[in-house]
Amino acid sequence: MQYDKRDLSEAVLLKLYKDLQRPRMIEEKMLILLRQGKISKWFSGIGQEAISVGVTNALNEEEYILPMHRNLAVFTTRGIPLHRLFSQWQGKMNGFTKGRDRSFHFGTQDYKIIGMISHLGPQLGVADGIALGDVLQNKKAVTAVFTGEGGTSEGDFHEALNVASVWSLPVIFCIENNGYGLSTPTKEQYNCENLADRALGYGMESHIIDGNNILEVYNKLKKIAEELREKPRPVLIEFKTFRMRGHEEASGTKYVPEELMAEWGKKDPISNYERFLLKEGILTDEKIEALRVEIENEINENLKLAFEEEEVQSEPDQELQDVYASFEYEESNPGSVVEHIRLVDAISKGLKQSMEKHSNLVIMGQDVADYGGVFKITEGFMDAFGKERVRNTPICESGIVSAAMGLCINGMKAVVEMQFADFVSSGFNPVVNYLAKSHYRWNEKADVVIRMPCGGDVGAGPFHSQTNEAWFTKTPGLKVAYPAFPYDAKGLLATAINDPNPVLFFEHKALYRSIYQNVPADYYTLPFGKAAKLKEGNDITIVSYGAGVHWALGTLEKNLDISADLIDLRTLAPLDMASIYTSVEKTGKLIILQEDSMFGGIASDISAMVMENKFQYLDGPVKRVASMETPIPFAKKLEDNYLPKNRFLIALKELLEY
């Protein structure tokens, strides 16, 4: 192996050596502890340390790195106290996730490290968002993100590279090509000679680097990082390397040919570099021994601290509290001037006022800039706020949701417009696994609002008509708003944007231009988790949201003899069960109307909670009315039959007569 030390000082050369030795010796200790049953699992990076050490040393301490589970050296090189890492691996409180996650599934703003999730791909888009935040805040900084060669097969990889290229983001995409995705060799994973060749299709610069040569990694990455700080653009790096142990220890390496293992064993990044430093007179056997003793003592002292730490105790109240970032709602009251406007206008005006209020707020979505979005919500926004803050995106929902997470990690706010709520399925993974879980896992807010134009009764068929709120009310960590009126939409949207937690904000397309209301012209907020009582009555409680509220209102207006409480939920997570309970205690009967299909919808949970908690007040069964258990059809008569609005009165009268 050839080393080029260039003009590197002896201090730098020795630091690189120490940074290589520390993670190797920690791993060797962890493998012993694994066999002793003192840790539960281990993903080895033995043989790949030079990549993590070189990249981390090439970046400045304030620049973000997004590593994976073989990048222990990123964490140790950044100087994270070892006892905290050991506590993390043992699931103890002094780790970074309070025992809620293991391994390297965590981040820490103190060390500008954003850890992985097991789904791999989203972190590439998160790196895009962090880098975009640097560009928008005029920081001369780069972001480095890691993936394995297996992860490059995921759609998120291609989405992230494309977005980074189109937006000229200073991201260094680091592929650790170690030959195997678990046991699957590269020849069964991709059909190009080098993964770096893929950069050409995205108009990106790429490099192939010997990932076992610490000086080649460090020197080239340092030069690339310096260039990117001055001229932002993405670069794809393929590091050729090999892992000398299994995917994780239980996997073993029997699938690897012995001659291949022997060949790469000769390329060990530490022993080869050590021989080079000995030859150069920079290291001596005495220095090596002294360094190993120093590191071994450091490991043992920190292990003692971790082992002496008490096991995590379950505190249910604390667990529930940590699902969401703390948010103190601030009521903002408008002046007396009102405008008689449509739902679509209220959302647009509310969004614009939030853009004026929050200079760090960025809107992203397909066609949201010049075109103003397919529903014209953001028409004129680009002229008002600039193309940097109102950003057209490629068609890549997963990559953009992930980028929104990256923006908020880097101190920004984001609103993402799904062109149609149906299309969120293409970005489902980062919504439910990254946005929803980050605060609970490692105390990181996800200051993202995802706008969801939804709903049927518009003749748009199965892919542009869904009302899929139940996908998200099921997921702890997400908030869900679903206003039915312009007044509520404007105020709730302002609150959603103020809230540091991820919010799915549903906007019914059929209501956009059909529902008018007097709405304050000024900025104002409305609280989440507070339903609105639209009608007062004694015989029955009607609960609904979205378009269902208007169907229920229409039914009551045509049947004036029905005395009902009509409750508009407005938000589904948090859900105002207190208002429902109070009404049911008075009326004794409850019917829930939802546009979503019946099974697994919000009505089912409301029904269950009322039955469990207020059964003694009921004078009849709780009734649910919902759409048919089919996809939403296109033809008018089919869609009319699918939707529950024409069946609601029948069910309502049946319950009243019970």
Side-chain angles (χ1 to χ4, degrees):
M1 192 173 290
Q2 299 296 314
Y3 290 98
D4 180 4
K5 65 179 182 179
R6 301 185 185 180
D7 57 351
L8 297 178
S9 68
E10 185 173 309
V12 170
L13 294 169
L14 285 172
K15 181 181 187 304
L16 293 173
Y17 177 73
K18 186 175 182 178
D19 287 347
L20 287 169
Q21 278 285 14
R22 182 180 283 108
R24 174 68 63 88
M25 292 181 67
I26 291 171
E27 280 218 43
E28 291 168 347
K29 186 69 172 181
M30 291 304 114
L31 293 175
I32 294 171
L33 295 178
L34 182 68
R35 289 192 291 272
Q36 294 175 345
K38 294 181 178 179
I39 59 172
S40 64
K41 204 175 185 71
W42 189 256
F43 294 89
S44 177
I46 289 178
Q48 299 182 204
E49 296 95 342
I51 303 170
S52 299
V53 170
V55 171
T56 307
N57 275 285
L59 266 62
N60 298 328
E61 288 186 356
E62 68 274 9
E63 293 175 323
Y64 284 93
I65 302 179
L66 292 84
M68 292 183 65
H69 49 265
R70 300 195 202 289
N71 300 119
L72 168 60
V74 170
F75 297 83
T76 55
T77 301
R78 276 279 164 98
I80 290 183
L82 296 189
H83 68 277
R84 294 204 66 191
L85 283 178
F86 298 156
S87 291
Q88 172 67 22
W89 301 336
Q90 293 176 33
K92 292 185 174 179
M93 188 62 73
N94 203 36
F96 293 87
T97 62
K98 301 182 180 179
R100 295 165 183 164
D101 214 333
R102 63 180 183 185
S103 186
F104 297 106
H105 296 192
F106 71 90
T108 163
Q109 288 282 11
D110 291 341
Y111 297 91
K112 292 296 183 284
I113 293 175
I114 308 301
M116 62 177 290
I117 68 170
S118 293
H119 298 73
L120 306 181
Q123 72 178 30
L124 298 159
V126 172
D128 283 350
I130 292 172
L132 176 60
D134 284 333
V135 170
L136 295 179
Q137 296 173 83
N138 297 313
K139 298 178 184 176
K140 291 186 176 183
V142 300
T143 300
V145 59
F146 286 83
T147 188
E149 83 290 330
T152 66
S153 296
E154 292 194 309
D156 291 82
F157 172 80
H158 302 278
E159 292 187 15
L161 263 63
N162 189 49
V163 169
S165 181
V166 170
W167 289 353
S168 297
L169 301 176
V171 181
I172 302 174
F173 293 97
C174 302
I175 305 172
E176 295 180 296
N177 190 343
N178 61 26
Y180 288 86
L182 207 155
S183 68
T184 305
T186 54
K187 67 177 182 293
E188 296 178 23
Q189 296 185 58
Y190 56 86
N191 207 26
C192 53
E193 183 177 355
N194 299 299
L195 288 168
D197 297 339
R198 292 181 172 177
L200 183 64
Y202 298 106
M204 286 173 58
E205 173 186 339
S206 67
H207 300 269
I208 297 173
I209 294 177
D210 180 354
N212 286 31
N213 187 323
I214 180 60
L215 295 189
E216 182 178 345
V217 174
Y218 174 71
N219 286 325
K220 288 192 176 181
L221 265 292
K222 196 171 192 308
K223 181 176 183 294
I224 290 168
E226 289 169 351
E227 291 175 355
L228 265 56
R229 292 183 192 110
E230 297 302 320
K231 185 183 177 182
R233 66 189 189 279
V235 175
L236 178 65
I237 311 289
E238 181 180 0
F239 296 100
K240 301 288 191 180
T241 187
F242 198 78
R243 55 175 165 81
M244 300 303 294
R245 303 192 69 85
H247 170 73
E248 41 83 29
E249 286 306 304
S251 303
T253 57
K254 289 183 179 180
Y255 48 84
V256 182
E258 290 183 9
E259 59 273 18
L260 184 60
M261 188 71 77
E263 176 187 342
W264 278 98
K266 296 174 184 177
K267 300 177 182 179
D268 182 81
I270 300 178
S271 59
N272 279 292
Y273 185 53
E274 183 177 276
R275 281 193 291 271
F276 168 74
L277 294 180
L278 284 166
K279 182 180 177 182
E280 293 289 319
I282 296 171
L283 264 185
T284 64
D285 290 336
E286 291 75 19
K287 285 183 178 179
I288 293 171
E289 180 60 26
L291 177 61
R292 289 186 63 84
V293 169
E294 176 191 334
I295 295 173
E296 186 173 0
N297 288 337
E298 180 189 15
I299 291 171
N300 290 333
E301 289 169 5
N302 282 274
L303 271 175
K304 185 174 184 294
L305 291 174
F307 281 132
E308 289 176 349
E309 188 181 345
E310 293 183 2
E311 296 294 323
V312 169
Q313 300 300 314
S314 177
E315 300 289 346
D317 289 345
Q318 187 65 52
E319 292 297 294
L320 291 170
Q321 180 179 313
D322 285 355
V323 172
Y324 296 98
S326 177
F327 173 55
E328 294 294 330
Y329 169 73
E330 292 184 9
E331 188 170 357
S332 182
N333 295 314
S336 59
V337 177
V338 298
E339 305 170 297
H340 193 63
I341 57 175
R342 304 167 298 179
L343 180 72
V344 69
D345 305 317
I347 293 169
S348 180
K349 290 175 184 291
L351 185 56
K352 186 174 184 181
Q353 289 174 349
S354 286
M355 287 287 283
E356 293 166 348
K357 178 180 175 65
H358 302 285
S359 61
N360 64 338
L361 176 60
V362 177
I363 297 173
M364 299 187 291
Q366 296 157 30
D367 306 298
V368 299
D370 313 60
Y371 191 69
V374 294
F375 298 104
K376 302 302 180 183
I377 299 284
T378 55
E379 190 169 29
F381 279 38
M382 192 186 75
D383 293 335
F385 304 107
K387 205 161 188 174
E388 293 298 295
R389 291 183 63 201
V390 185
R391 305 184 73 90
N392 280 340
T393 70
I395 301 176
C396 54
E397 286 81 4
S398 185
I400 296 305
V401 172
S402 299
M405 180 71 204
L407 273 173
C408 72
I409 285 173
N410 205 1
M412 309 284 285
K413 285 177 172 285
V415 170
V416 176
E417 178 184 297
M418 289 291 149
Q419 200 167 74
F420 292 88
D422 313 64
F423 298 166
V424 76
S425 55
S426 294
F428 192 72
N429 179 27
V431 174
V432 301
N433 285 313
Y434 214 120
L435 300 186
K437 295 178 173 62
S438 288
H439 188 267
Y440 177 75
R441 288 171 53 244
W442 57 280
N443 200 39
E444 179 61 42
K445 66 184 184 300
D447 203 344
V448 179
V449 175
I450 302 179
R451 292 185 40 246
M452 302 277 283
C454 66
D457 212 13
V458 291
F463 304 120
H464 297 78
S465 307
Q466 294 175 87
T467 174
N468 46 17
E469 65 280 354
W471 296 0
F472 306 104
T473 54
K474 167 65 181 170
T475 305
L478 300 176
K479 295 187 178 183
V480 179
Y482 203 145
F485 293 94
Y487 173 79
D488 295 335
K490 185 178 178 183
L492 290 173
L493 181 58
T495 300
I497 292 169
N498 292 339
D499 196 324
N501 295 284
V503 179
L504 280 296
F505 195 87
F506 285 82
E507 307 164 6
H508 201 289
K509 302 187 301 294
L511 305 182
Y512 267 155
R513 290 172 169 82
S514 64
I515 301 299
Y516 287 75
Q517 198 177 29
N518 288 332
V519 177
D522 294 339
Y523 176 91
Y524 64 95
T525 58
L526 291 174
F528 274 35
K530 180 66 175 175
K533 185 183 286 187
L534 305 181
K535 293 282 186 180
E536 187 89 32
N538 297 310
D539 296 339
I540 196 166
T541 299
I542 303 170
V543 173
S544 192
Y545 57 94
V549 171
H550 297 281
W551 300 338
L553 278 170
T555 299
L556 293 177
E557 287 168 3
K558 294 176 183 176
N559 297 270
L560 298 176
D561 57 323
I562 297 176
S563 176
D565 273 0
L566 174 57
I567 296 174
D568 174 8
L569 294 173
R570 301 199 293 187
T571 65
L572 308 182
L575 182 63
D576 184 3
M577 285 304 301
S579 292
I580 298 173
Y581 289 154
T582 299
S583 178
V584 168
E585 288 176 6
K586 177 183 70 173
T587 67
K589 290 182 177 179
L590 172 62
I591 187 168
I592 310 155
L593 173 62
Q594 68 181 29
E595 182 176 342
D596 192 10
S597 53
M598 179 79 79
F599 191 83
I602 194 77
S604 299
D605 280 286
I606 293 173
S607 173
M609 285 187 281
V610 170
M611 290 290 288
E612 288 173 11
N613 296 288
K614 299 296 175 181
F615 180 78
Q616 67 271 33
Y617 293 97
L618 292 173
D619 296 325
V622 175
K623 193 82 171 176
R624 296 172 296 150
V625 185
S627 292
M628 291 176 62
E629 297 292 325
T630 70
I632 305 176
F634 158 65
K636 174 66 173 168
K637 288 188 176 181
L638 294 178
E639 186 180 34
D640 285 347
N641 188 55
Y642 165 85
L643 294 169
K645 58 181 179 177
N646 295 325
R647 296 187 294 273
F648 176 64
L649 179 59
I650 297 171
L652 181 62
K653 287 184 174 180
E654 286 177 351
L655 184 55
L656 283 167
E657 293 169 1
Y658 183 86

